[in-house]
Amino acid sequence: MTSIPEFMTAKHRECDEFFIQAENAIADNNWLLAKQAFSQFSAELTIHFQAEEDILFPEFEQATRITQGPTQVMRGEHQQMRTLVADLLVALSAEDKDAYISVSETLMVLMQQHNMKEEMMLYPMSQQRVPAPDALLTQVIEHCQITENG
Amino acid sequence: MNIANLSFSALPPINVPFRHFISAVIFLLLTALLILISGEKIWLSRWQPILLAITHLFTLGFISMVMMGAIYQFLPVIGGVGITNVRNVATVSHCLHTLGTLTLSWSFITPSTFARVLAILTLGIGFGYYIFSVARVLIKKLSQGPAIIGLRLAILSLTFVVVLGGLFIGQNSLMPYVNISFFADKSYTDIHALLGGFGWAGGLILAVSLQIIPMFHVTPSFPKWLAKYMLATLISLLLLLFFFKANSVGGQVIIAFVLVTYAVFNLAFLRLFKQRKRKVVDTSIHFWQFAGSSFLALTCLYFLADDFYQQVFSGNKALLLSAVFIYFYLISIIEAMLLKIVPFLSYTHLQNLCLADFNAMSHLPYMHDLLLKKHSRLLFKFHILSCVLLILTIAVPRFYWGFSCAMLVEFSWLLFLIIRSLNLYRRCLMKIKNMAV
C-alpha cells in the first residue's frame, strides 16, 4: 500500500498535468482543448482541496493539537488559489490569451510553493503523527474515487 | 521530525532578503567602476592585488551576499522553521559583511594592518554570527530531505572557507606568535577557492535546485542517486585536497573528479529542462541553460593542453577558468534565481496579508506585473554581451573598458528591476493597508 505523502504528491502531479495541458493549448490558441483540460484541472483541484480540508487536516489537527498553525495557512492558500482559478475561468471564457497566461503564471508559483510546504512537511508529518495513517489514506482515496466517478 | 516550532508563515520581513539583493548589485556596480579605473595591467595574472580585490567583490560582495539573503527566505519554506530573531541577525551580519568586504578589498589594493584587522574582525564576526544562527536551525530535526542535507553541507563548506580566509588575512602580521607560515603555500588558496566555489556556492545551488527546478519549472525530479549522494561526494573530494596538494598529481586528479562530478549535475538539470512540458517561455530557464552549457565547456577547457592557453590567453588558464565559473556559471544562475525570487517574494508578502482579508486580493498584482517578461529578456541579452566582453578582455586586456561598461549596464538594469518590483510592492501594500483602515 502507498503512503499519504506518495498518494497526495501523485495527486499534485496530476493537477499539474491538467494545468499545463490547458496552458499549452492556450499558447497554441487551441481554446477547445484548453477548456477541456481546464475543466479537468479545476475538478481535480476541488477534489484535492476537499480531501485535505475535510479529511486530512482535521486528523492532523487532532493528532498534533495544532489548529492555528500550518493547516490554517494551507486553508488560507487554498482560498487564494480558488480566487485565481476563478480569474482563469474569466480569461478562458473571454478567450483572452494574455490575461490567462498572466494569471496562470501567478497561480503556478503560488501552487508550487504551497505544494512544496505540504510535500516536505505536512504530508510526512501526517504519516508519522496520525494514529492510523493507513485508515486515513483509505478514506482519502475513497473520497477522491467517489467524487471523480460521481 | 520536530514540529514544535513549525510555522509555514514564518517568512522573514521583506527588507531582509531585499537588502542583501540590492547591496549585492551595488557591489557589482562598484566592481565595474574598479575595473574601469584599474586599466589593462590587472588582467595579466590572477594574483594581481587589484584582481584579488575584484574576485572578492564578486564572491563576497555579490555571490555570498545574495545567497545569504536567499537562505533567510528558503529555510522557512523547505524546513518549516525560520531563524530566531531574524531581523537582528540580518542587520548585524549584513552590516559586518558589507564593511568586511569593502575593507578586505581595500586591504588588497592598499595593504595596511588596520585594513586587515578590520577585515578579519568584521568578516569573522559577521560570518560567525550568520553561520551560528543558520546552524541552530539546521541542527534541529527538520525534514530530512536532500535539500536540507545539502544546505547543511553548503554551510559546512562556508565554515571551512571562512576559517581559511581568516588564516590567510591573519598570517604574518596579525599572528606574530603563532607559526602558520605554511599557509603561504598557494595550494591552500586553491582549497579556499574550490571549497568556496563548489562546496559553498555550487553546493547551495545543487541543494536548492533539487527542490526548485522540478517544482517551479515543472520538470521531472532529479534522479534519486544524484539527490542523495552527489553533494556529499563533492564535499568529500574537496576535503581530500587538505591531504593532496592541489598542484600535485593527486590534487589534479581530485580537481578533475570534482569538475566531472559537478558536470554530471549540470547535465542532469539541462536534461530536466529539455523534458519540461510547459510551453510558456521563461527567461530564467535561458539563464540556467546558458550556465549549464558554460560549465560543460569549462570542464572541457580544463582538460585542454597548456599550449592553447599560451597561444590565446597568455597562459592565463586559472584566470580564464575562474572567470568562466564565476561570471558565466554562478552569476547566470543567481540572476536566474533573482528573476524568480524577486517577484515571488513581493507577491508572497502581499499574499500573506490577504490571508486575513480576502477582499484585499483585488489589490494583488499578478507575478508578471512585478517583473515584466520583456525586462527579463533584456537582462539576459545584457548578460550575454558582458560574458563575451569578459572573454575578449582576458584574451586582449585592452578591451577591459568594454567589459566594465557592459557590467555597468547589466547590473544597473538588474538594480532597476529589483527596485521597480519593490516599488510596486509598496504601492500595493499601501492600498491593502488603506483598505484595512
Side-chain angles (χ1 to χ4, degrees):
Chain A
M1 188 171 193
T2 181
S3 64
I4 294 171
E6 280 170 358
F7 180 79
M8 298 303 275
T9 301
K11 284 285 164 193
H12 282 165
R13 299 296 167 268
E14 275 178 32
C15 285
D16 289 348
E17 285 289 325
F18 291 128
F19 179 84
I20 292 166
Q21 268 179 31
E23 196 182 62
N24 287 349
I26 285 168
D28 294 338
N29 288 314
N30 187 343
W31 292 95
L32 189 66
L33 182 63
K35 281 171 187 168
Q36 280 172 3
F38 179 83
S39 127
Q40 284 171 305
F41 162 70
S42 174
E44 275 293 325
L45 195 70
T46 306
I47 295 168
H48 185 75
F49 285 171
Q50 281 172 354
E52 289 184 338
E53 290 173 3
D54 300 342
I55 305 168
L56 190 68
F57 292 172
E59 281 281 333
F60 173 87
E61 287 162 352
Q62 206 172 6
T64 60
R65 297 182 191 283
I66 301 174
T67 53
Q68 292 303 311
T71 47
Q72 204 56 23
V73 176
M74 296 295 101
R75 282 193 176 93
E77 289 185 355
H78 285 175
Q79 202 54 34
Q80 292 182 333
M81 284 189 262
R82 286 181 178 111
T83 310
L84 289 173
V85 171
D87 289 351
L88 280 181
L89 188 58
V90 172
L92 190 69
S93 309
E95 300 196 355
D96 185 339
K97 186 173 171 176
D98 288 344
Y100 188 94
I101 298 292
S102 183
V103 184
S104 78
E105 194 82 29
T106 308
L107 177 59
M108 175 52 94
V109 175
L110 182 58
M111 201 156 65
Q112 295 306 330
Q113 62 92 26
H114 175 85
N115 290 353
M116 184 148 82
K117 290 186 264 193
E118 288 186 337
E119 290 171 22
M120 294 204 66
M121 303 300 294
L122 203 65
Y123 297 157
M125 284 188 325
S126 302
Q127 181 74 30
Q128 283 181 357
R129 296 291 172 128
V130 300
D134 288 348
L136 176 62
L137 179 61
T138 309
Q139 225 181 320
V140 170
I141 293 173
E142 277 173 5
H143 166 84
C144 293
Q145 283 169 347
I146 291 166
T147 326
E148 273 167 13
N149 298 334
Chain B
M1 199 177 291
N2 182 1
I3 61 166
N5 301 312
L6 185 70
S7 169
F8 286 161
S9 52
L11 291 175
I14 194 163
N15 65 41
V16 167
F18 267 91
R19 82 177 73 157
H20 281 79
F21 301 159
I22 291 172
S23 313
V25 181
I26 292 173
F27 264 117
L28 282 195
L29 291 173
L30 284 176
T31 311
L33 289 174
L34 183 59
I35 291 170
L36 191 62
I37 60 170
S38 300
E40 61 187 271
K41 63 182 185 300
I42 62 165
W43 298 93
L44 296 175
S45 133
R46 70 165 168 150
W47 301 107
Q48 291 280 329
I50 297 181
L51 201 54
L52 285 174
I54 289 169
T55 307
H56 285 84
L57 284 169
F58 271 110
T59 54
L60 287 174
F62 185 74
I63 297 167
S64 296
M65 183 70 91
V66 173
M67 289 183 159
M68 287 161 82
I71 284 178
Y72 289 120
Q73 186 64 38
F74 197 56
L75 263 182
V77 180
I78 62 163
V81 183
I83 291 173
T84 318
N85 205 0
V86 65
R87 204 183 287 265
N88 183 277
V89 175
T91 304
V92 173
S93 69
H94 173 261
C95 288
L96 292 174
H97 186 78
T98 305
L99 188 60
T101 306
L102 288 171
T103 48
L104 180 68
S105 306
W106 171 34
S107 79
F108 281 124
I109 299 167
T110 321
S112 86
T113 306
F114 174 69
R116 279 201 296 272
V117 171
L118 198 57
I120 206 168
L121 281 176
T122 47
L123 286 173
I125 298 170
F127 268 123
Y129 189 35
Y130 179 81
I131 291 171
F132 172 74
S133 309
V134 175
R136 272 181 65 187
V137 177
L138 290 176
I139 55 171
K140 285 179 187 158
K141 233 173 163 290
L142 305 167
S143 114
Q144 295 300 306
I148 283 282
I149 294 168
L151 193 52
R152 287 177 180 139
L153 290 172
I155 291 290
L156 179 71
S157 302
L158 176 65
T159 312
F160 275 110
V161 177
V162 172
V163 170
L164 282 174
L167 289 170
F168 291 139
I169 310 172
Q171 66 182 328
N172 304 328
S173 55
L174 301 185
M175 295 185 194
Y177 307 111
V178 188
N179 183 10
I180 51 166
S181 55
F182 63 93
F183 261 93
D185 188 330
K186 289 211 163 60
S187 63
Y188 284 100
T189 319
D190 289 332
I191 300 177
H192 171 72
L194 287 164
L195 263 173
F198 290 95
W200 160 231
L204 189 64
I205 287 171
L206 198 157
V208 170
S209 55
L210 294 175
Q211 204 62 42
I212 293 292
I213 292 179
M215 281 228 163
F216 287 92
H217 296 290
V218 200
T219 67
S221 296
F222 278 93
K224 277 191 177 144
W225 60 266
L226 188 150
K228 222 170 170 181
Y229 303 114
M230 181 159 282
L231 190 51
T233 309
L234 204 60
I235 305 276
S236 310
L237 283 169
L238 290 167
L239 293 179
L240 275 180
L241 287 173
F242 280 105
F243 306 101
F244 297 88
K245 281 191 172 182
N247 53 6
S248 69
V249 176
Q252 289 295 305
V253 171
I254 292 170
I255 293 172
F257 269 113
V258 167
L259 286 173
V260 172
T261 309
Y262 205 69
V264 171
F265 159 66
N266 282 271
L267 272 174
F269 77 66
L270 285 172
R271 190 164 165 260
L272 293 187
F273 282 126
K274 231 176 162 122
Q275 293 171 321
R276 175 181 181 254
K277 290 178 185 162
R278 283 182 89 196
K279 287 183 182 170
V280 176
V281 180
D282 186 336
T283 308
S284 74
I285 293 180
H286 296 154
F287 272 104
W288 276 98
Q289 288 170 327
F290 176 71
S293 311
S294 301
F295 192 83
L296 297 181
L298 184 154
T299 310
C300 296
L301 279 171
Y302 178 79
F303 292 103
L304 279 186
D306 285 349
D307 286 353
F308 166 76
Y309 294 97
Q310 286 298 347
Q311 283 169 14
V312 187
F313 295 102
S314 315
N316 264 332
K317 181 178 180 180
L319 176 60
L320 176 76
L321 297 186
S322 315
V324 171
F325 184 60
I326 291 176
Y327 210 92
F328 283 59
Y329 187 73
L330 294 178
I331 291 188
S332 300
I333 289 186
I334 290 174
E335 287 192 300
M337 289 191 173
L338 285 175
L339 288 182
K340 286 280 169 201
I341 296 173
V342 165
F344 170 69
L345 278 186
S346 312
Y347 182 83
T348 305
H349 278 268
L350 291 171
Q351 173 232 331
N352 265 5
L353 292 174
C354 300
L355 284 173
D357 178 8
F358 286 105
N359 294 327
M361 272 198 85
S362 59
H363 294 303
L364 269 186
Y366 291 128
M367 216 73 79
H368 275 187
D369 306 327
L370 289 157
L371 208 156
L372 300 178
K373 287 207 162 199
K374 59 181 180 186
H375 288 174
S376 315
R377 283 197 294 270
L378 196 53
L379 182 70
F380 185 62
K381 285 176 188 161
F382 288 148
H383 185 60
I384 298 293
L385 178 68
S386 49
C387 283
V388 171
L389 287 166
L390 171 60
I391 292 294
L392 184 65
T393 303
I394 296 172
V396 189
R398 71 170 182 276
F399 289 111
Y400 71 91
W401 59 270
F403 171 56
S404 163
C405 292
M407 265 189 83
L408 282 172
V409 171
E410 179 182 352
F411 294 102
S412 302
W413 185 245
L414 180 58
L415 186 61
F416 164 73
L417 298 190
I418 295 173
I419 290 174
R420 185 187 167 278
S421 180
L422 203 52
N423 210 20
L424 186 54
Y425 161 83
R426 289 213 170 109
R427 288 212 307 269
C428 296
L429 183 69
M430 290 297 286
K431 282 183 195 165
I432 293 172
K433 281 189 172 166
N434 286 341
M435 206 174 164
V437 173

